Amino acid sequence: MTTATLPILEAVVVVVAAPIAGVALCAHRHRVASRAVGVFGFLLFASAVWTMSLWGWSAAALRIVCLSHAMLAITGLAFAALGAWCRATLRDPLDAAAVSTGAALVAAFGLFAAGPAIADLPTGIINAALSSNPIVSTASAAGVDLLRTDLLYRLSPLAHRRFEYPSWYSGLALYATLLMIFAAGTTRSLRKGWS
Amino acid sequence: MNRSSMFVAASLCLVLFAPLAAGQRASSGGLSAAVKQDMMKSLERGAAYLRQQQRADGTWENHAGITAVATAALLKQTGVSREKQLEAVGKTLDAIAKLAKPDGGIYESSIPHYITAVNIMALAAGGRPQDKPLIEKGRRYLAEHIWDEGEGIKPTDKWYGGIGYGGSNPDRRADIISLEYALRAMKESELPSNDAAWEKAIKFLQRTQNNSETNDQGWASNDGGFVYYPGFSYNTEGGTKSYGSATYAGVMSYAWANVKKSDARVQAVMKWVRDNYTLDENPGMGQKTVYYYYLVFAKALQAFGEPTIVDAKGRTHDWREDLGKKLIGLQHPDGYWVNTDKAELQDNKVLVTAFSMQALEAALQ
């Protein structure tokens, strides 16, 4: 493992853990959820400091670490909000966990699992799919050429097609929008209650 | 006319016309005048297509790599004055020069080693005095990014002497195609032949070759060809079987790195070339990246310096003529070439046309 692998691994952890955390926290009071967000923020901060210490303290590294951790933060909150929304909508917490984690996994890994079907799509659609992928967006914000890493380059036909990585702001904007939609959906569902 | 006069006249005819007949095939290796003319016309149609597709700012396809390859193709076109060539791509060379970074790299953001290599080739083909400092810095950038002790890689490591895509990629891996591009750029920009980078590259080359006598890697067999990187091949049959484009990239790289024709490694790879001579496909890959195969086929055999290849069945092939006819046959009436297989951007008409033109240009040299 090299230091550039860190943001990718962190993104994978966030994709899996955030929806489950959202499901778990939905049943608790607002104060508990706020504390959990605080802990998440602290963990991200600690990770950013650790990454900086590994990459070396420079303006370029600081920019990359800030952008990739901002991406991690926003995707984590968006997926947690998705988990909370599922919990507020579905009676069974296990159903909520399964649906929200499943959706997060599809968002993160569907692109790589689809294989040649995706690779034959027009470049614009491929680029849009890459923009909506939380792992690609985080890796891209960290300046990591994810699709040309050895394993993906060998296995994914996508890596051999023309594509553009998403800009950091497009990924942030997309997941900020999703966060607002999921948070609004959660609030609305909680007010309505399980009918 | 008596018998002796007839003999003298016939001898005179032979003396006078034999050189003329030989001259028909002497230029550009063994090319016949008719095929050569057809190739020149084909190049003109390709160039016209490229100029048609060029954007107002001189670039192509909003892509730094495609722009560089197309620029080099137009600048290397034989039979066109430098003035006319620069008229078409002077603006493009300015745009390429603007991509130069303080460390010598010439790229936008992604795959910096590849993009720097093709941009150096475009600037070197342009031959403008103002681009010389950029070319020198660029070739040094490439030479310094060939992996060695500076990156903590020991000579015993399988990646030693290779080069990867560059950028902050979590993997440390090199490959023959990236190395071929870097070495071609270093050669075309006249990196001195005594530069240490060449020797380091040879280490990686021999570890990518299926030649167990000179390859210290356990996987190496003895077909003489090349794989993508030590221990991994894209040959569709799987395993570590050699395939066409990697092998010709290997031939060319050995030539650029000044390995002699008589060297056992070159002899081994030329055996693979003879055993697998074809222009119908990229051997081991089918139609995948077949136009890059044509490019390295032409450049490798041109660098190797033999006008003909005798295949495994003992048939002699004039490779220039074979390639010329093949590419002329594949050209679309509108002047472009395109691959039916989309891998590695070969569904892009501009890129594939530029590859084909450069292959024809190499065959015409």
Side-chain angles (χ1 to χ4, degrees), chain A residues 73-170:
Chain A
I74 204 78
T75 49
L77 291 174
F79 283 128
L82 172 66
W85 190 15
C86 288
R87 178 69 185 99
T89 315
L90 302 166
R91 278 178 190 277
D92 188 343
L94 282 178
D95 286 348
V99 170
S100 57
T101 310
L105 289 173
V106 167
F109 300 107
L111 188 64
F112 308 119
I118 288 274
D120 283 339
L121 294 173
T123 306
I125 295 176
I126 291 175
N127 291 344
L130 289 172
S131 289
S132 61
N133 186 298
I135 297 176
V136 172
S137 293
T138 305
S140 176
V144 174
D145 189 352
L146 184 69
L147 286 175
R148 294 189 187 90
T149 52
D150 192 26
L151 186 68
L152 282 180
Y153 196 72
R154 283 162 63 159
L155 298 178
S156 172
L158 198 60
H160 302 270
R161 291 291 320 280
R162 186 174 179 181
F163 63 86
E164 306 286 341
Y165 285 118
S167 56
W168 63 267
Y169 48 83
S170 66

Side-chain angles (χ1 to χ4, degrees), chain B residues 86-239:
Chain B
L86 288 175
E87 206 175 282
V89 295
K91 226 192 263 183
T92 323
L93 293 174
D94 293 339
I96 290 172
K98 279 185 192 151
L99 298 175
K101 304 278 185 285
D103 66 356
I106 309 172
Y107 58 93
E108 277 176 326
S109 57
S110 62
I111 46 174
H113 296 166
Y114 256 120
I115 303 296
T116 297
V118 290
N119 277 327
I120 289 173
M121 287 187 247
L123 292 177
R128 302 190 309 181
Q130 70 264 39
D131 297 328
K132 218 177 164 200
L134 297 180
I135 295 169
E136 283 171 6
K137 270 184 91 175
R139 74 185 187 199
R140 180 84 344 248
Y141 168 89
L142 290 176
E144 282 171 3
H145 281 83
I146 286 184
W147 285 342
D148 57 12
E149 294 83 351
E151 285 87 14
I153 297 179
K154 292 176 186 163
T156 50
D157 192 301
K158 69 173 181 178
W159 302 122
Y160 187 89
I163 193 168
Y165 293 110
S168 52
N169 203 303
D171 294 319
R172 177 169 277 185
R173 79 152 174 83
D175 64 84
I176 182 77
I177 309 299
S178 297
L179 184 65
E180 180 276 306
Y181 270 92
L183 297 186
R184 185 154 35 113
M186 282 156 53
K187 184 73 181 178
E188 290 184 9
S189 60
E190 295 170 350
L191 182 77
S193 59
N194 60 357
D195 194 286
W198 299 113
E199 274 303 314
K200 289 170 190 164
I202 290 171
K203 285 255 182 219
F204 183 79
L205 288 172
Q206 65 188 41
R207 285 192 174 121
T208 317
Q209 188 177 12
N210 264 315
N211 187 37
S212 63
E213 281 183 28
T214 52
N215 188 343
D216 59 11
Q217 305 290 298
W219 55 268
S221 64
N222 278 307
D223 66 21
F226 279 71
V227 295
Y228 186 63
Y229 64 66
F232 176 74
S233 176
Y234 276 115
N235 190 308
T236 48
E237 288 177 27

